[in-house]
Amino acid sequence: MELRKITVCGGGNGAQTLVPIAARNLGCPVDLYAPLGDEARRLRAGVEAHGGLEAKGAVQAMARPHCISADPAEVIPGSQVAMLVLPAFAHEETLRQIAPYLERGAWVGAMPARGGFDYCATRVLQEQSREDVILFGLQTLPWACRIEEYGRRVHVLGVKKAVDAASRPAARIGQIAPLLEQMMGLPIGAAGSLLALTLANTGQLIHPGITYGLFANWDGLPFDRAPLFYQGLDEEGAKVLAGLSDDVQAIRARLDGILDLSVVQPLHDWLLRAYGEAIADPSNLRSAFVSNSAYAGLKAPVREVVPRQFVPDFSSRYLAEDVPFGLAASRAIARLAGVETPAMDRVIAWAGGRLGRDYLDRDAGEARIPRKYGLETLEQLIAFATERG
Ligand code: NAD
């Protein structure tokens, strides 16, 4: 595909990392759609002062976005690809805003897709009679990255060795994967469907699982500094992660042979494949987390209640995104498939308590689950995942 222009949607860590990398690797204009608050103005000011958006650390690139706007009419027309680099709770709203301006046959992808992106995005496109748009998603963000100075510089702590992607219709992945490889500068594996990516979403295990391990028995007393998130993983926390991974493997075992779920790997295998030599001690799940240089120094989400007194921030996206757009989405698939998920149930119940939500029952419809989009049975779910388009 010969690219005239792409648009990155989002104004956070991932979006500000993708812009310079994609502009350098693709050599075409990259627009930036940042509708939240005054982010577009702050991005323009930062780019103006710094001469572009800069990624430094494990990846180095610098580029000036072609146009930065909070108005989709200014940045979406003319783009063959729109990349949603946003927390999953912003996918639906953002897609609704950009859909009227998308080129015919444009590609829209979420990076990462998280759980259930396909049902939600398909509904938005149907509502706007935009069934010509092709959807895709990546299994994760290729980088661990944090903004250092807004609109100017991001620090890339680590780069994954490879990332999987899927499309809807599923067979179109062969067309977009080479372009994503060029854009990101790393190998992109082809997943069988976006449903496979929902189950292969490792953020849904890692973020709520580690948060549970760190804070389920928290005594309510403030910390004098934020605990390390990944390097703080202890044996009990690693058991929680292993339990969540086993639940996903049980779903895979039930659906194997019906769907191509080869990308749905046990968490330890995925970690070794994604981070390779960045992991000093790959011998077990815990050691692979605590010795991963890409995770070094990353802190647990906390709030400073008084100077140098910190409490866990349970409203962070590690729970607020990864439970309703992750674990709860996978658990709903397990229910349709008749698979028990004891570790997921425990973590979802605890996280829901912290978020004031009952995602196992009363508030399940707030999560991105198949039933919310009219997929009530396993047969319907499979038919949706394998639709030819
Ligand atoms: P972030 O926390 O930086 O995202 C916040 C940004 O998202 C906001 O600044 C805004 O630009 C946008 N946003 C939020 N709500 C919005 C709304 N309602 N409408 C429009 N825009 C909105 O997120 P990030 O770190 O860039 O992560 C993006 C995704 O990648 C998330 O799903 C995250 O879990 C995942 N991820 C991030 C990392 C990382 O290292 N940053 C690593 C792995 C996965």
Side-chain angles (χ1 to χ4, degrees):
M1 197 190 311
E2 193 59 34
L3 279 179
R4 290 184 302 278
K5 186 185 87 165
I6 72 161
T7 301
V8 173
C9 303
N13 302 301
Q16 293 190 45
T17 303
L18 177 61
V19 168
I21 293 174
R24 181 196 61 193
N25 291 349
L26 294 173
C28 72
V30 177
D31 279 358
L32 188 53
Y33 174 53
L36 192 71
D38 67 346
E39 285 188 345
R41 185 194 60 72
R42 290 168 60 214
L43 284 160
R44 278 194 297 266
V47 165
E48 202 46 54
H50 195 59
L53 278 173
E54 182 184 2
K56 63 180 259 291
V59 183
Q60 288 168 26
M62 173 131 166
R64 189 182 266 274
H66 169 253
C67 178
I68 302 171
S69 181
D71 178 357
E74 290 186 348
V75 282
I76 301 299
S79 288
Q80 292 131 298
V81 182
M83 305 288 297
L84 307 180
V85 192
L86 297 157
F89 47 73
H91 286 164
E92 181 168 346
E93 189 184 340
T94 307
L95 184 53
R96 226 176 265 293
Q97 292 158 356
I98 67 171
Y101 303 98
L102 289 165
E103 295 287 304
R104 280 209 73 71
W107 292 77
V108 176
M111 188 169 105
R114 297 299 186 213
F117 172 66
D118 42 351
Y119 338 125
C120 157
T122 299
R123 171 171 288 181
V124 172
L125 294 175
Q126 277 168 350
E127 281 169 4
Q128 305 208 17
S129 303
R130 292 307 311 264
E131 286 92 345
D132 57 295
V133 170
I134 306 161
L135 296 169
F136 65 96
L138 277 85
Q139 187 253 348
T140 180
L141 202 68
W143 317 284
C145 52
R146 295 289 182 273
I147 293 169
E148 237 176 47
E149 254 195 292
Y150 196 87
R152 298 177 187 219
R153 206 166 33 248
V154 285
H155 184 207
V156 182
L157 293 97
V159 186
K160 297 188 177 80
K161 283 166 70 90
V163 174
D164 293 322
S167 65
R168 176 175 163 78
R172 301 293 291 268
I173 188 61
Q175 283 169 272
I176 191 81
L179 192 132
L180 295 172
E181 288 195 338
Q182 189 190 345
M183 186 188 303
M184 248 69 82
L186 45 80
I188 300 289
S193 61
L194 280 159
L195 188 146
L197 279 201
T198 289
L199 296 174
N201 165 18
T202 45
Q204 67 180 333
L205 315 181
I206 296 170
H207 299 144
I210 296 185
T211 307
Y212 179 93
L214 289 175
F215 297 133
N217 296 319
W218 178 53
D219 57 11
L221 297 174
F223 306 101
D224 56 10
R225 66 176 72 111
L228 288 170
F229 191 69
Y230 300 96
Q231 291 163 298
L233 182 68
D234 63 13
E235 291 298 343
E236 282 307 306
K239 276 190 202 152
V240 175
L241 289 180
L244 292 172
S245 176
D246 288 348
D247 284 356
V248 172
Q249 290 307 307
I251 306 170
R252 176 189 165 160
R254 166 73 179 83
L255 299 179
D256 248 347
I258 305 172
L259 291 167
D260 171 6
L261 298 179
S262 48
V263 298
V264 186
Q265 296 296 313
L267 183 57
H268 190 201
D269 296 3
W270 173 84
L271 202 59
L272 301 190
R273 173 172 167 247
Y275 287 102
E277 56 279 3
I279 295 173
D281 178 1
S283 52
N284 59 60
L285 188 56
R286 178 176 172 273
S287 70
F289 272 101
V290 300
S291 71
N292 183 352
S293 62
Y295 288 150
L298 289 174
K299 307 266 184 15
V302 290
R303 287 185 295 117
E304 194 167 14
V305 277
V306 290
R308 288 186 296 283
Q309 299 268 289
F310 302 92
V311 297
D313 180 4
F314 294 114
S315 68
S316 90
R317 62 176 161 76
Y318 285 178
L319 298 185
E321 176 185 20
D322 289 296
V323 175
F325 298 88
L327 277 183
S330 293
R331 179 181 181 272
I333 294 171
R335 286 289 88 82
L336 291 181
V339 174
E340 296 294 319
T341 51
M344 283 186 183
D345 294 6
R346 186 154 54 108
V347 174
I348 295 171
W350 172 78
R354 290 298 186 176
L355 293 166
R357 289 285 181 279
D358 175 8
Y359 289 120
L360 292 179
D361 187 13
R362 188 190 66 224
D363 303 316
E366 289 180 23
R368 211 157 61 178
I369 58 171
R371 178 158 50 85
K372 185 173 173 183
Y373 301 95
L375 301 168
E376 306 266 358
T377 65
L378 185 61
E379 291 66 35
Q380 288 174 339
L381 190 70
I382 291 166
F384 180 85
T386 52
E387 234 165 53
R388 287 175 166 273

